[in-house]
Amino acid sequence: QKEVEQNSGPLSVPEGAIASLNCTYSDRVSQSFFWYRQYSGKSPELIMSIYSNGDKEDGRFTAQLNKASQYVSLLIRDSQPSDSATYLCEGGSYIPTFGRGTSLIVHP
Amino acid sequence: EADIYQTPRYLVIGTGKKITLECSQTMGHDKMYWYQQDPGMELHLIHYSYGVNSTEKGDLSSESTVSRIRTEHFPLTLESARPSHTSQYLCASSGVYEQYFGPGTRLTVT
């Protein structure tokens, strides 16, 4: 079992809706987490980081960390077609650990 | 903005050739990483370094080697390229936590 798990999707949402991306992690992963967006053929780019329990908001993005349940999520409000990409969850630890990524498709 | 560079961006080379993929960063980051990623597939960590003269293998077995003689430079070498090495190679660096990725090198071995 991977230490950071993500549903590979694809997750399909209509334009303007809220996209919810989830990630679970094992005890061996440290408590800092990062979300990266990767467009097809491009490199991952950091979009959110979260270090403590609760919510962190940045524009249309909200990251949520629940340490008791060992999951971290990313909410994208007012989803746009330009949000269509693969979203990678990383559990920061001595050795970085990435999930497989969730493909998001936002259709007009 | 993160400044991390990779050269070449694209490389097509024949089997058996020795190749070096270059990665440089200007942020003074101690931590640097090499990942391998096939199209539509997950990232695999193949090498990492947490400082000068420090290198470790990642979770994916790789026939490549790396060196870290200068903080800003983390080249990856394949002594004898094979078609199975065809992939995208991504370099990244990190200060305290989050990683910044270079644009990648797309390698094709014929």
Side-chain angles (χ1 to χ4, degrees):
Chain A
Q1 184 179 359
K2 286 179 66 71
E3 295 180 342
V4 175
E5 295 275 3
Q6 289 183 262
N7 188 323
S8 61
L11 173 66
S12 182
V13 300
E15 184 174 356
I18 295 175
S20 178
L21 304 161
N22 300 308
C23 173
T24 59
Y25 61 90
S26 74
D27 288 338
R28 288 172 291 178
V29 177
S30 74
Q31 304 294 289
S32 54
F33 294 90
F34 310 94
W35 284 98
Y36 298 81
R37 177 176 61 200
Q38 185 175 25
Y39 292 113
S40 180
K42 301 295 186 182
S43 300
E45 57 177 326
L46 179 73
I47 54 173
M48 287 290 286
S49 59
I50 187 164
Y51 307 110
S52 57
N53 229 15
D55 295 0
K56 179 182 177 183
E57 186 174 320
D58 184 1
R60 295 188 296 113
F61 299 99
T62 299
Q64 300 174 319
L65 176 58
N66 184 321
K67 295 182 181 180
S69 301
Q70 293 183 266
Y71 82 78
V72 58
S73 63
L74 178 71
L75 301 179
I76 305 174
R77 290 182 298 281
D78 188 24
S79 295
Q80 301 297 309
S82 59
D83 294 326
S84 298
T86 296
Y87 290 80
L88 303 171
C89 172
E90 182 205 345
S93 61
Y94 182 75
I95 300 174
T97 305
F98 282 88
R100 296 179 188 273
T102 298
S103 174
L104 173 66
I105 299 171
V106 181
H107 53 87
Chain B
E1 186 172 316
D3 293 319
I4 181 163
Y5 308 98
Q6 290 186 245
T7 57
R9 294 289 311 277
Y10 304 90
L11 179 62
V12 180
I13 201 163
T15 298
K17 300 292 186 183
K18 177 180 179 179
I19 59 172
T20 296
L21 308 184
E22 302 287 350
C23 176
S24 295
Q25 49 96 5
T26 60
M27 297 166 285
H29 288 165
D30 284 328
K31 299 175 186 176
M32 294 189 75
Y33 310 89
W34 275 105
Y35 294 90
Q36 186 174 340
Q37 186 180 39
D38 293 324
M41 304 300 286
E42 64 184 298
L43 281 171
H44 289 289
L45 179 67
I46 52 175
H47 295 283
Y48 61 97
S49 167
Y50 287 168
V52 171
N53 295 324
S54 162
T55 62
E56 301 285 346
K57 288 184 180 291
D59 57 3
L60 179 67
S61 175
S62 173
E63 294 162 344
S64 57
T65 59
V66 292
S67 63
R68 190 87 182 278
I69 299 172
R70 304 196 316 267
T71 297
E72 64 272 21
H73 193 215
F74 190 40
L76 180 144
T77 298
L78 278 166
E79 291 292 333
S80 180
R82 295 211 299 265
S84 60
H85 297 138
T86 294
S87 189
Q88 167 104 322
Y89 292 83
L90 294 165
C91 180
S93 74
S94 173
V96 178
Y97 296 118
E98 63 268 17
Q99 296 185 55
Y100 299 94
F101 286 81
T105 294
R106 187 167 299 280
L107 173 66
T108 302
V109 183
T110 61

